[in-house]
Amino acid sequence: MLLTLSVVIIIGTGCISVCRTTNVTSKLITEIIDEYFVFRQVPLLVVSGEDTMHLDLVDQIIGNLHKPRVIQLGPTSKNYASWFYCMFFFTTYEGFVAHINVLSSEQYDLYGFYTFFFNEVTEIQIHKAFDAIWKVKILRALIIVFNDDRPQLYNYFPYNIQSCGKPKVHYITNHQSSQLYLQKLNNFYGCPITLGTFETPPFVHFQGDTVYGFEGDLASTLARQLNFQLLVVTPPDNAQWGDPHPNGSTGLMKLLQEETAHFGVGCLGIMPQRNEILQPGRPHYNSRVLFAVPEGQPLNSFEKLFQPFDRTVWAAQGLLICLAITVVLTLKFAPNSVRDFIYGANNHTPLLNTINVFYTGALHRVPRRNFARTLLLLWILHCFVMRTVYQGLLFKYLQQESNHKPIDIIDDIEQSKLHYHMNKNAERFFAHKPGLSSRIRLIPPGNDSVSLALDAVSSRRVRDAVVVCTLEHIAYHNKHRLKQGFLRSSRDSLSSYPMVIYYPKRTFLVRVLDRLIGQIETAGLMNFWVQRYGNYHFFPKRVERSQPSALNVEQLMGCFECICVQWMVSCGIFVLELLSYKITFLRRFLAFLTHN
């Protein structure tokens, strides 16, 4: 609910019929308090001077109240956080001028109700009073001028058809039938409101003079609903977010702190340092900060040969072959009767036969004993099943692009030697881990700098880095910049990231825009806009082939490499055979392996 900010200024001229004037005045103020100052549990501050008329008027007001309420008489207490209802009595306009700047302090609620009483004022001073009230960002004001015994009421509108941001004084003829205070500022009459932002898709993206991106859509919708002209200003020197400081902020923070911009968007997360100099609005979207990691390194053609089976299957197959080799070598020390029983009589190359069957080769001599034949049949059946499954899957894996598993868990990323590319504001997420500071690489500020860093990592121009960014940055990249390479997000996040609109420290726009932002969130428009600018499936779109295609030389290069390795092994064994004629130990070892 938008809290109304109301100001009542009561001004009297002359000393005609003082008692009658105070009676009329007290009755009028009492009606205003009862009708508009509805939160009776909130204290009402009443500050008056030593003027007798003021003191009598305060007594009559308190006595005429229809409902009890808490009232603080005298100067404001420094211990009270923020006054919401206030009444000030001044003898002259000059006293009002001396006191008006006090209302700009945080001790007075910008959206509260304020009542001012003046004894003397001119019409020119009425306009100056409204100018001073508008200067301290008090949006609603009522001035009561006493002409003889009949009060005259005025209020003002800062935005209207004739002027923008300049008070237009309105005379109220009948206060009982008129709305004394502007309840909602819902029409700016086409007046310009300045938005501070910069290029950072998918949050803000410029196409000519139009602002896109889901936060750009939010700003455009607010402008359309409230009927104001959206003017865009960007930080000088492409400073992007900038650094917030009480004195000397940079970038977008400077534009807002100096009130060059009325509000700012652009992936602005809530930060205590920003809150010290600026005012945040209500969060309009909650994102996550995480790591953008590239796909794993592509598998080479040789590594693809191992894809049909996982490590467990390969380990079991290797263990089985090692077991066969161990049995054959062990049986060399056994009697001939035992060897003949295990793998048949006159079988002088059992190890070679085992490998030969594994590669679908034929046997020149078949065992005669039943046990040996049973072992052979079991081995042939095992090799047939494994070979058939392997060949069936190998065709698929040779044709498709495959990658190693990416490093997408934060603990694994921290244990790796990867560098962390991030903007300066993201350093706060690693303040509790000073050991990682040497791996942090700051992204230089500039237009769309985060997207450029994502491009460098996804295209592998930078191979030893991950990028710290929001989930929306990655989703936008995978939808609009997929040609650079696909990016994944880390499985776990560094932090949640509620995004807000930031405003200058003192402005009435916060409540005005927050009301509409709440309606936009309730309607689901924010989620709709976010989904429109990104691919949140986090896998690349692959082209489905309607029919298989022939394997090319590049896809079969792993097979050729395997053949070359086997040829090299054969050549090495041939060299050992030649050396064995000169080396006795080597000749005996090779004879042990080849003879039964």
Side-chain angles (χ1 to χ4, degrees):
M1 177 178 178
L2 181 64
L3 296 179
T4 57
L5 176 63
S6 305
V7 180
V8 180
I9 303 178
I10 306 170
I11 305 165
T13 59
C15 302
I16 303 175
S17 305
V18 174
C19 294
R20 184 171 54 183
T21 300
T22 55
N23 290 333
V24 175
T25 304
S26 64
K27 182 180 178 181
L28 176 62
I29 297 178
T30 301
E31 292 177 358
I32 293 174
I33 293 175
D34 288 338
E35 182 176 355
Y36 293 98
F37 298 5
V38 294
F39 301 110
R40 291 185 293 108
Q41 69 276 15
V42 177
L44 168 62
L45 174 65
V46 178
V47 178
S48 62
E50 300 297 331
D51 188 275
T52 303
M53 178 182 177
H54 294 170
L55 297 176
D56 293 340
L57 183 59
V58 170
D59 291 340
Q60 293 181 21
I61 293 172
I62 297 176
N64 293 337
L65 291 176
H66 297 90
K67 298 179 181 179
R69 65 188 314 135
V70 179
I71 297 178
Q72 166 74 30
L73 297 177
T76 177
S77 173
K78 295 182 179 180
N79 297 327
Y80 195 75
S82 181
W83 292 99
F84 191 74
Y85 295 131
C86 301
M87 294 178 61
F88 297 94
F89 295 84
F90 299 103
T91 304
T92 62
Y93 170 77
E94 287 71 19
F96 164 78
V97 172
H99 190 80
I100 186 63
N101 291 330
V102 177
L103 300 182
S104 62
S105 68
E106 295 183 358
Q107 196 174 8
Y108 295 93
D109 195 322
L110 177 63
Y111 304 96
F113 291 76
Y114 297 84
T115 303
F116 297 88
F117 178 86
F118 288 82
N119 288 352
E120 298 178 359
V121 71
T122 64
E123 185 175 348
I124 295 178
Q125 290 174 337
I126 292 176
H127 288 81
K128 290 183 177 180
F130 279 125
D131 291 338
I133 292 169
W134 172 241
K135 186 176 181 180
V136 295
K137 302 299 188 297
I138 294 176
L139 187 59
R140 300 172 180 90
L142 179 69
I143 292 181
I144 302 177
V145 179
F146 288 96
N147 184 11
D148 295 331
D149 60 346
R150 183 180 180 182
Q152 297 176 352
L153 285 70
Y154 301 85
N155 60 9
Y156 86 110
F157 301 97
Y159 295 98
N160 51 78
I161 299 177
Q162 287 80 14
S163 61
C164 296
K166 183 176 178 60
K168 179 184 179 182
V169 180
H170 175 65
Y171 174 67
I172 301 174
T173 56
N174 187 353
H175 74 276
Q176 294 181 348
S177 61
S178 302
Q179 184 67 45
L180 299 185
Y181 309 111
L182 182 63
Q183 296 300 314
K184 294 181 180 179
L185 184 59
N186 53 12
N187 191 347
F188 285 78
Y189 296 93
C191 294
I193 299 294
T194 305
L195 167 67
T197 188
F198 52 89
E199 179 84 8
T200 175
F203 305 92
V204 177
H205 177 56
F206 296 112
Q207 289 186 3
D209 296 331
T210 307
V211 182
Y212 292 96
F214 66 85
E215 285 193 306
D217 291 343
L218 173 63
S220 299
T221 302
L222 294 174
R224 187 165 54 252
Q225 293 297 318
L226 293 174
N227 189 24
F228 62 79
Q229 180 185 359
L230 190 64
L231 301 182
V232 178
V233 58
T234 57
D237 301 325
N238 294 326
Q240 294 184 303
W241 297 275
D243 296 324
H245 296 289
N247 297 309
S249 298
T250 59
L252 180 58
M253 300 297 101
K254 180 179 181 180
L255 295 181
L256 295 172
Q257 186 180 22
E258 295 179 352
E259 299 187 12
T260 304
H262 293 101
F263 67 103
V265 299
C267 191
L268 293 174
I270 299 176
M271 290 176 55
Q273 297 86 344
R274 292 173 178 170
N275 293 350
E276 290 179 0
I277 64 171
L278 302 174
Q279 183 175 180
R282 64 175 292 168
H284 55 262
Y285 184 72
N286 191 24
S287 181
R288 291 184 293 150
V289 176
L290 30 70
F291 290 102
V293 297
E295 285 274 47
Q297 292 288 341
L299 294 175
N300 57 43
S301 55
F302 184 77
E303 290 173 327
K304 288 184 178 181
L305 296 178
F306 297 91
Q307 276 194 291
F309 298 146
D310 62 14
R311 294 181 179 180
T312 305
V313 176
W314 284 117
Q317 184 64 36
L319 181 63
L320 190 59
I321 294 177
C322 292
L323 179 62
I325 295 173
T326 303
V327 170
V328 171
L329 294 178
T330 302
L331 289 177
K332 285 182 176 292
F333 301 97
N336 291 334
S337 58
V338 175
R339 291 197 297 271
D340 294 343
F341 177 78
I342 298 297
Y343 45 73
N346 300 322
N347 187 356
H348 301 291
T349 56
L351 182 59
L352 183 61
N353 290 342
T354 302
I355 298 175
N356 190 28
V357 172
F358 182 76
Y359 279 102
T360 68
L363 295 180
H364 299 287
R365 186 183 296 274
V366 180
R368 296 180 179 180
R369 301 185 66 94
N370 293 329
F371 181 75
R373 289 183 174 183
T374 303
L375 289 179
L376 178 60
L377 289 175
L378 291 176
W379 179 245
I380 292 175
L381 178 62
H382 168 77
C383 293
F384 172 76
V385 173
M386 296 292 293
R387 186 171 56 252
T388 303
V389 174
Y390 178 80
Q391 291 175 345
L393 293 175
L394 184 61
F395 179 82
K396 169 186 174 182
Y397 285 108
L398 286 177
Q399 286 193 317
Q400 74 178 11
E401 297 181 1
S402 303
N403 302 79
H404 289 284
K405 181 181 179 182
I407 303 176
D408 56 0
I409 300 176
I410 290 183
D411 291 340
D412 294 341
I413 295 174
E414 291 182 354
Q415 294 173 7
S416 69
K417 297 181 180 180
L418 296 173
H419 294 146
Y420 294 0
H421 288 209
M422 66 184 74
N423 61 63
K424 186 175 178 59
N425 293 324
E427 286 185 300
R428 68 185 188 275
F429 299 116
F430 304 93
H432 62 291
K433 293 184 178 180
L436 297 176
S437 59
S438 61
R439 294 164 57 183
I440 294 177
R441 302 291 185 270
L442 296 181
I443 300 174
N447 281 334
D448 202 8
S449 59
V450 176
S451 294
L452 296 178
L454 294 177
D455 289 345
V457 171
S458 62
S459 62
R460 302 190 184 280
R461 296 196 303 271
V462 177
R463 296 179 176 271
D464 60 346
V466 292
V467 181
V468 180
C469 59
T470 65
L471 181 66
E472 283 63 40
H473 281 113
I474 304 174
Y476 178 84
H477 175 92
N478 288 339
K479 182 172 183 178
H480 298 278
R481 309 172 82 106
L482 191 57
K483 292 182 179 180
Q484 298 290 337
F486 182 73
L487 284 174
R488 296 184 181 274
S489 66
S490 55
R491 296 179 183 270
D492 35 4
S493 350
L494 291 169
S495 172
S496 62
Y497 194 74
M499 286 179 286
V500 298
I501 295 177
Y502 266 101
Y503 306 84
K505 194 64 174 178
R506 187 174 178 86
T507 177
F508 59 88
L509 279 178
V510 181
R511 300 288 178 87
V512 177
L513 299 190
D514 278 358
R515 172 172 53 85
L516 277 180
I517 291 173
Q519 297 174 3
I520 290 172
E521 283 186 295
T522 303
L525 280 176
M526 282 304 305
N527 290 330
F528 170 76
W529 291 330
V530 170
Q531 294 293 326
R532 187 171 61 177
Y533 286 99
N535 171 22
Y536 289 85
H537 299 292
F538 285 93
F539 57 84
K541 296 180 179 179
R542 304 189 184 277
V543 178
E544 298 292 339
R545 295 183 174 90
S546 58
Q547 60 183 6
S549 59
L551 295 173
N552 54 40
V553 175
E554 183 180 357
Q555 293 168 344
L556 291 174
M557 190 59 66
C559 300
F560 297 145
E561 292 174 356
C562 189
I563 293 175
C564 292
V565 170
Q566 294 178 15
W567 284 347
M568 294 175 62
V569 172
S570 300
C571 293
I573 294 176
F574 176 71
V575 172
L576 292 177
E577 291 281 357
L578 295 177
L579 294 176
S580 65
Y581 288 102
K582 297 181 180 181
I583 303 174
T584 305
F585 170 76
L586 182 59
R587 183 170 63 254
R588 291 177 180 178
F589 177 72
L590 293 177
F592 171 78
L593 294 177
T594 55
H595 295 290
N596 187 14

